[in-house]
Amino acid sequence: MTTFKNAADVFKNLKLKMSIRGISGSGKTYTALTIGSLLGNKIAVIDTERGKSALYSNIFKFDVVPLGDHHPDKFVELILEAEKHYDFLIIDSLSHAWMGANGILEQVDKLTIMLKNNSMMARAKVSPIHKRLLDAILDANIHIIVTMRAKKNTSYPLTNTGKKQLMSSGYPQSKKRVLNLSSILTPK
């Protein structure tokens, strides 16, 4: 039987879950480290950005693990490990779990070939891997911020001479970084 709990007791156990999205160089890592420093005592960073988080080691105190294999299960392993030793985790950048080396898209491509170009079956087989990663983030008893890359929109209109010219047509949703606060706090 489900029973009601005192809301104040539930609130004490809430853990931050946040994503920060922006183009390269927009300050995602710096913002995540700033928030982490305000809310956490021991901060860990999963760095898929070739060690770029270390640029902030003179400003913030944190431990870092570089991650070159972007299979979602590698992220899950590191989340579970961080949960044992840290109170705040930054995944910089979660985009690589989707589009990086050995990420979701690469897994789908490999399986599509093995399944004789049946991409729907390949997606169905890879979907549980992606779900495991999302569940690990949301279920972790630790504050987590993930950063994600946004792409700058570009177009190639024809000039008066008939040649194509690269032209920026803005940024998706915002020119600045976007804090996605859709599921900031999740109870544990």
Side-chain angles (χ1 to χ4, degrees):
M1 180 171 136
T2 304
T3 60
F4 290 95
K5 296 179 182 176
N6 181 304
D9 292 337
V10 173
F11 182 75
K12 289 177 193 171
N13 295 318
L14 293 178
K15 300 298 179 189
L16 175 78
K17 308 295 184 206
M18 177 189 281
S19 65
I20 302 174
R21 189 172 63 97
I23 63 167
S24 180
S26 63
K28 300 178 296 290
T29 305
Y30 182 86
T31 301
L33 286 165
T34 300
I35 295 168
S37 295
L38 293 171
L39 297 178
N41 293 318
K42 292 186 73 179
I43 302 169
V45 176
I46 299 173
D47 189 335
T48 66
E49 297 285 349
R50 294 175 172 84
K52 289 185 181 173
S53 64
L55 294 171
Y56 302 109
S57 62
N58 62 333
I59 302 170
F60 303 102
K61 185 178 179 348
F62 60 95
D63 293 337
V64 63
V65 60
L67 186 61
D69 179 353
H70 303 130
H71 192 286
D73 287 340
K74 297 290 184 185
F75 287 85
V76 171
E77 288 172 24
L78 291 171
I79 290 167
L80 295 174
E81 186 63 26
E83 195 175 14
K84 295 175 190 173
H85 306 286
Y86 299 91
D87 59 5
F88 208 99
L89 174 63
I90 297 167
I91 302 173
D92 185 28
S93 156
L94 188 63
S95 298
H96 291 90
W98 184 257
M99 63 179 189
N102 212 13
I104 293 292
L105 294 180
E106 198 170 289
Q107 296 297 317
V108 169
D109 289 346
K110 288 177 187 175
L111 276 172
T112 298
I113 292 167
M114 289 173 53
L115 297 169
K116 299 179 183 171
N117 292 326
N118 188 341
S119 63
M120 294 300 286
M121 180 67 78
R123 289 177 192 272
K125 289 185 175 287
V126 172
S127 187
I129 299 169
H130 187 240
K131 185 175 178 345
R132 272 196 307 270
L133 172 57
L134 296 178
D135 287 344
I137 292 169
L138 294 174
D139 293 342
N141 191 22
I142 183 175
H143 300 294
I144 299 178
I145 294 180
V146 301
T147 66
M148 296 184 291
R149 290 184 180 175
K151 291 184 179 177
K152 183 178 177 182
N153 291 335
T154 55
S155 62
Y156 298 89
L158 292 176
T159 64
N160 293 341
T161 62
K163 293 185 178 181
K164 289 184 179 182
Q165 178 182 358
L166 174 63
M167 191 169 208
S168 173
S169 59
Y171 299 90
Q173 294 185 5
S174 172
K175 289 186 177 183
K176 305 273 184 197
R177 58 187 161 262
V178 175
L179 300 179
N180 180 355
L181 306 177
S182 60
S183 62
I184 270 205
L185 298 171
T186 56
K188 180 64 183 165

